[in-house]
Amino acid sequence: MSYLAVDPLAIRRLRGALADVADGLSRQHSSDPLAAAALATARAAHHEVADHWLGVIAAVVDCRALTGAVPSTGLDALIPTGLAAAGWRVTAAPTPPGWVPRHLSVAEATALGDRLNGATTTNDLGGLTDLLRAAAADGRTAAAFAASFTEWAALIEHLARCRQGRLFDGQPTAEVDAAVAALADLAGAAPNPGLLAGRLATDAAPDAAGPLIVRMDLGDVQVGVLVAELFRRRITDGRVQVSAERQESLAAALLPALARRPAAARAFLDELGDDPDPLFWSGADPSTVRALLAAAMPVDPDAAADAGRVLAQLIDGYQRVLDRRIPPPGEVPWGVVLAEISVPWLALFGPARARGGWDAGDARRRLDLLVAHGGAAVLEDRSSAWMARPAARVQRADGALDLGAIDELTGTWAALDDSLRRHHLADAADRRFWVEPIATLVNLVAAEQAPQAAVGGMRQLAQQWGLLPDDESQALAAADRGWDTRTGRAGAVVFLAVARSMIGRGELPAAAAADLARPGEDDGSCRSQQARRRIDAFIARWASGPTAERLWAVRNAALDDPAVSAACR
Amino acid sequence: MAVLCEGVIDDPLQLQRRAIELRRLATSIEQVRFGAVLPLAGTSTWLGPSAEACRHQLASSADALGRAVASLRGDAAWLDARAASPNPR
């Protein structure tokens, strides 16, 4: 049973017009065979008007109830009671078979919004969704609904409870999600959607407000800020019952949506600022956290300042979590995840720290935390990939050396070496860590210098100097004993590459090549010291003037006293 | 275009009379002004599922009558053309 709301005067005018139309249609006639189809159409229209609608309208005009009482409770009552309150004359009417509301008038949308206030706990979610969708189907009706509906918080909290209940019972949630989506469309039609979303973020239950807010058509920054507010309230607002998230956490409901919007993810972290506790305590699963942080981290290699800010915020925040000695909920290996997002920005832990706004103490402390809390393996495994960019910059296209790139490469490795050494890595992992990136560097430097065919020559040279093991059968440990840090090896590789390049360009005599390729004589001392002595002798013998100055610059950048001291201590 | 029924006469005068008859019917249906009731049945007059169904049906009927009128005029033009032809068949 449904309703019929009428304007008494207007419905009389309609009745009169329909009666005239019915009369006119009844008078159509023709005996021409070609008129048959048109006459059939006219008869059908006459039947609709005269035999059905005039009867319906006559019953309304004559104040006769059509088929029963107007619904007074439940969803069916919302619009008729709202229309009656707005001055319409409302009577009962049969619901046409298969009828689903697709469009509402402005008056009906207003009535729905008005009467839904106070009736937000309906369990007929399918019916509610149909009505909300019908109201949201048109901008004018959506605006009319949003102007008359006020109990947004109550309705979304009811929907959130329904959703958790269905999850608890193993039931699908599509119906609830559809209702929330329709409500989000309607909220977007409010006079000030941002203000409405802000009020919900501060007043409604976070697990209820969040799904609506991320579905609303709001800007990325606003979404990120509001979601941060919801996460903050979740752990600081005493009124919030986290137990409401009995089946799905706020993090599971919201963070994937943020991860799809990098600007929103960045705004989320920015808003959390120096207190990322709400993220650590969100109970998010590892894949969700990884996706969120991957979206939030800058991708522009020149955005070191932004990366430094975000990494500092997260790593320092995690340090405070550890200091409290109360592990946060969830299974996120935070040390590993933070190391993963740090890898592209490894240089911030070394010589490039100032670009991230860090000082030497910051860089060392943060790297130590990552290494000590599960990030060591990630930093080992992925540092080779990181190296490609600075290694490619070691020598410019015109053959000149980029001392900054050399410093970044070797200095970052020195920082990593130092931290890993102090955290007692296992021997096997240690050896792999020393050797594999050096091999990568040799390939990279050689490829920068010469056609691919020359890479083999660079590898051979590195082996002559003991920088790389000759073959698989050679014990890695033997090399490790002599080369105590990767920094020393990297410095020697860079020097070899530069000297080889200078010989190739005629800046050094061709005879120097033989000296460079001469097998080293291991006197048992630290290999970094041996390498530096040999380099010093090479420069003194073969180079002079500007050539010598350039080689000394490389030697000083790559194998300076602190690097050699660290390697040989 | 409609097909001439059996027993159609090729007489141009007859064809012209038929065309006149079809145009008369088209004009007569137009004069009913069925479309004029649509605004009166709008959402300022009545609301509810039945009202929505009524608006939908009235709009469909108005469209159908419009097409019927156009078809009548098209057939009338075709009959006129045949009447003007030297050899109508």
Side-chain angles (χ1 to χ4, degrees), chain A residues 2-8 10-14 17-18 20-22 24-25 27-39 41-42 44-46 48-49 52-53 56-57 60 83 88 93-96 99-108, chain B residues 1-6 8 17-19 21-22 24-55 57-58 61-66 68-69 71-72 75-76 78-79:
Chain A
S2 186
Y3 64 93
L4 201 58
V6 300
D7 177 319
I11 200 74
R12 283 184 166 80
R13 283 198 294 272
L14 174 61
L18 284 178
D20 290 346
V21 162
L25 290 173
R27 295 175 188 277
Q28 303 305 316
H29 63 87
S30 176
S31 58
D32 192 290
L34 288 178
L39 288 173
T41 301
H46 175 266
E48 290 286 352
V49 172
H52 182 62
W53 292 116
V56 171
I57 293 170
V60 176
L83 291 173
W88 290 76
T95 303
W99 182 80
V100 174
R102 301 200 187 285
H103 302 282
L104 297 180
S105 66
V106 169
E108 286 169 305
Chain B
M1 181 57 66
V3 180
L4 284 176
C5 296
E6 287 182 20
V8 167
R17 283 181 182 151
R18 291 188 61 193
E21 168 61 8
L22 294 185
R24 180 202 64 77
L25 179 59
T27 302
S28 176
I29 292 176
E30 278 182 328
Q31 286 174 343
V32 172
R33 300 189 70 241
F34 193 95
V37 299
L38 296 180
L40 299 177
T43 55
S44 59
T45 297
W46 61 338
L47 300 170
S50 294
E52 190 179 324
C54 178
R55 282 189 283 273
Q57 285 193 355
L58 291 180
S61 295
D63 286 345
L65 288 170
V69 166
S71 180
L72 286 170
D75 287 348
W78 180 72
L79 290 171

Side-chain angles (χ1 to χ4, degrees), chain A residues 285-562:
Chain A
D285 66 75
S287 63
T288 300
V289 167
R290 284 189 166 95
L292 174 78
L293 297 184
M297 287 301 291
V299 292
D300 179 358
D302 294 329
D306 291 339
R309 182 170 40 77
V310 175
L311 288 175
Q313 161 193 352
L314 292 171
I315 297 173
D316 294 352
Y318 184 50
Q319 179 66 66
R320 288 192 294 276
V321 169
L322 295 170
D323 290 344
R324 286 197 291 268
R325 299 180 183 280
I326 303 174
E331 299 174 348
V332 178
W334 285 103
V336 175
V337 172
L338 295 178
E340 288 168 354
I341 63 169
S342 298
V343 165
W345 304 98
L346 269 183
L348 292 178
F349 298 95
R353 54 187 168 262
R355 292 210 300 268
W358 302 2
D359 62 26
D362 293 334
R364 180 182 167 112
R365 176 172 49 78
R366 288 165 185 153
L367 183 58
D368 282 351
L369 182 138
L370 297 181
V371 168
H373 291 89
V378 169
L379 297 174
E380 282 178 34
D381 293 344
R382 303 190 187 179
S383 58
S384 293
W386 162 80
M387 185 172 58
R389 187 184 297 275
R393 287 175 19 227
V394 163
Q395 194 165 26
R396 299 193 189 110
D398 61 1
L401 291 171
D402 184 337
L403 296 183
I406 295 172
D407 186 48
E408 181 177 315
L409 195 65
T410 56
T412 303
W413 266 346
L416 263 176
D417 285 351
D418 184 52
S419 182
L420 290 165
R421 182 187 297 275
R422 281 184 287 105
H423 289 89
H424 310 294
L425 292 186
D427 285 348
D430 209 5
R431 281 200 302 276
R432 190 175 72 248
F433 181 51
W434 302 145
V435 175
E436 288 181 0
I438 295 296
T440 307
L441 177 62
V442 168
N443 288 341
L444 286 168
V445 173
E448 285 294 311
Q449 284 192 325
Q452 198 61 30
V455 171
M458 186 66 201
R459 286 191 66 84
Q460 193 176 23
L461 196 56
Q463 286 165 351
Q464 293 282 30
W465 280 60
L467 297 166
L468 282 176
D470 295 344
D471 53 49
E472 294 297 329
S473 64
Q474 185 184 32
L476 294 174
D480 290 348
R481 280 196 299 275
W483 291 98
D484 288 327
T485 70
R486 255 187 341 187
T487 313
R489 289 190 196 201
V493 168
V494 170
F495 180 84
L496 286 180
V498 172
R500 192 163 169 262
S501 169
M502 292 174 103
I503 293 168
R505 290 200 303 271
E507 295 175 64
L508 287 173
D515 187 21
L516 204 62
R518 175 174 52 82
E521 296 165 5
D522 189 353
D523 62 8
S525 64
C526 170
R527 293 294 287 269
S528 291
Q529 281 177 338
Q530 290 186 49
R532 190 162 67 170
R533 281 199 296 271
R534 187 171 170 187
I535 288 170
D536 291 354
F538 179 88
I539 298 172
R541 180 173 180 189
W542 299 106
S544 62
T547 305
E549 285 178 17
R550 286 174 58 198
L551 284 174
W552 282 118
V554 176
R555 179 268 199 197
N556 292 336
L559 281 167
D560 58 4
D561 286 340

Side-chain angles (χ1 to χ4, degrees), chain A residues 105-106 109-110 113 134-149 152 185-192:
Chain A
S105 66
V106 169
T110 300
D138 175 83
R140 290 182 312 128
T141 57
F145 175 91
S148 60
F149 184 59
W152 298 90
D185 288 344
L186 291 166
N192 189 335

